[in-house]
């Protein structure tokens, strides 16, 4: 077993998942992969099971009964990785919007004193690829809004390409993370920084998916807008730290 676990939530990713498995495993022998599948009707989980036959110690699969949300998928993955002793846990999309070759770049700062790293579109050297203008405006506007409300010095607070040291996830009470959509990414960064953990942004190029269907919805946007404000207000009286 490696000491790094890449967690990828899936729902209907049959076009991408086998290629993604190959790409992650090719990064290095110390990178293992956990797919958390939310009952994909397109057979995503069956493809993962087929690949497990060749790499039973490196490919892991958790099957859930239905669409339970991005946030709960990652929380499930974090708990799985912590129980099995992984030192570094990554969040990553299945659709190649995040480049697996960037995994070592996300890991490197954590060997130099940082506690978690963020693959960022909006720091120097970062970029987006094949995005329509309206999506670019929405994303940048959301990032500005989050920074104004939370006071986090993170240029890309909604980013979903992350590497955490296990110490961060052990310190957090993961059951207090309430967001289930893309706002989950904001709450994780906010909660980790509220406990004093050090973050760094690593520039990446975020490419729009080529195959499969986007999971973005109006409900997800609404959660981010109103939920972030509520999260900030609650932080004045509540802590994300796990009770010892």
């Amino acid at each position: 077993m490696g000491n790094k676990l890449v967690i990828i939530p899936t729902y209907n990713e049959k076009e991408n998942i086998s290629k993604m498995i190959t790409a992650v495993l090719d990064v290095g022998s110390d990178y293992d992969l956990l797919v958390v599948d939310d009952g994909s009707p397109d057979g995503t989980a069956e493809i993962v099971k087929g690949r497990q036959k060749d790499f039973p110690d490196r490919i892991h699969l958790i099957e859930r009964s239905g669409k339970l949300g991005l946030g709960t998928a990652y929380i499930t993955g974090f708990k799985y990785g912590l129980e099995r002793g992984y030192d570094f846990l990554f969040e990553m999309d299945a659709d190649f919007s995040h480049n697996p070759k960037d995994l070592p770049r996300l890991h490197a700062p954590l060997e130099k004193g940082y506690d978690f790293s963020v693959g960022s579109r909006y720091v120097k050297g970062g970029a987006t690829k094949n995005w329509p203008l309206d999506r670019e405006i929405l994303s940048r506007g959301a990032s500005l809004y989050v920074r104004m409300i939370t006071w986090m010095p993170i240029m890309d607070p909604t980013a979903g390409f992350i590497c955490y040291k296990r110490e961060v996830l052990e310190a957090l009470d993961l059951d207090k993370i309430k967001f289930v959509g893309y706002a989950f990414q904001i709450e994780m960064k906010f909660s980790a920084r509220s406990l004093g953990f050090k973050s760094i942004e690593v520039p990446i190029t975020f490419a729009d998916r080529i195959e499969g269907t986007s999971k973005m919805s109006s409900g997800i946007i609404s959660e981010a807008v109103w939920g972030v404000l509520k999260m900030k207000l609650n932080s004045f009286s509540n802590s994300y730290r796990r009770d010892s």
Side-chain angles (χ1 to χ4, degrees):
M1 188 182 82
N3 70 337
K4 305 176 184 71
L5 182 66
V6 180
I7 303 166
I8 299 182
T10 56
Y11 183 79
N12 286 350
E13 292 288 355
K14 69 177 183 179
E15 298 95 344
N16 295 306
I17 193 60
S18 186
K19 292 179 288 187
M20 177 57 74
I21 289 171
T22 297
V24 170
L25 297 190
D26 283 350
V27 172
S29 60
D30 53 341
Y31 287 84
D32 294 348
L33 175 65
L34 168 63
V35 175
V36 182
D37 186 71
D38 272 5
S40 296
D42 71 348
T44 296
E46 295 306 312
I47 295 172
V48 178
K49 290 176 184 176
R51 297 298 308 274
Q52 279 183 307
K53 296 175 182 177
D54 296 323
F55 300 95
D57 298 327
R58 297 187 62 196
I59 300 174
H60 308 268
L61 172 66
I62 295 175
E63 294 183 86
R64 305 201 300 173
S65 58
K67 294 186 72 174
L68 302 177
L70 180 79
T72 63
Y74 276 125
I75 295 296
T76 297
F78 291 153
K79 292 179 178 179
Y80 181 96
L82 292 175
E83 288 170 0
R84 284 155 183 79
Y86 287 96
D87 296 321
F88 303 96
L89 296 94
F90 296 79
E91 297 181 21
M92 188 175 178
D93 290 347
D95 59 8
F96 284 93
S97 54
H98 302 143
N99 188 341
K101 292 181 180 179
D102 287 330
L103 288 167
R105 296 179 56 243
L106 283 185
H107 168 254
L110 275 60
E111 298 287 3
K112 299 177 181 178
Y114 290 96
D115 300 304
F116 69 100
S117 59
V118 178
S120 180
R121 298 160 287 188
Y122 302 137
V123 293
K124 184 177 180 180
T128 58
K129 183 179 179 182
N130 300 327
W131 270 27
L133 180 60
D134 60 344
R135 186 175 179 187
E136 183 85 28
I137 293 171
L138 176 63
S139 177
R140 288 185 178 273
S143 296
L144 176 60
Y145 171 78
V146 171
R147 294 199 308 275
M148 290 174 62
I149 297 297
T150 65
W151 311 336
M152 281 195 298
I154 295 178
M155 294 298 296
D156 197 352
T158 64
F161 195 16
I162 319 289
C163 180
Y164 292 101
K165 281 183 178 177
R166 69 174 291 115
E167 290 82 2
V168 176
L169 302 176
E170 286 175 329
L172 288 171
D173 186 342
L174 295 173
D175 294 328
K176 290 183 179 178
I177 305 295
K178 299 304 181 184
F179 291 144
V180 296
Y182 283 86
F184 165 82
Q185 305 293 3
I186 302 166
E187 189 172 15
M188 281 296 300
K189 297 177 187 69
F190 180 78
S191 61
R193 286 191 56 88
S194 74
L195 298 188
F197 290 108
K198 293 173 57 180
S199 62
I200 186 172
E201 291 183 85
V202 176
I204 63 162
T205 296
F206 184 100
D208 199 11
R209 69 163 57 235
I210 297 173
E211 298 182 279
T213 305
S214 173
K215 313 302 190 295
M216 184 63 71
S217 70
S218 59
I220 288 171
I221 295 171
S222 177
E223 178 192 55
V225 171
W226 298 110
V228 167
L229 184 58
K230 183 178 179 181
M231 178 190 72
K232 178 62 179 180
L233 293 173
N234 287 342
S235 71
F236 292 115
S237 58
N238 298 293
S239 172
Y240 284 98
R241 188 173 299 280
R242 184 196 303 271
D243 294 330
S244 54

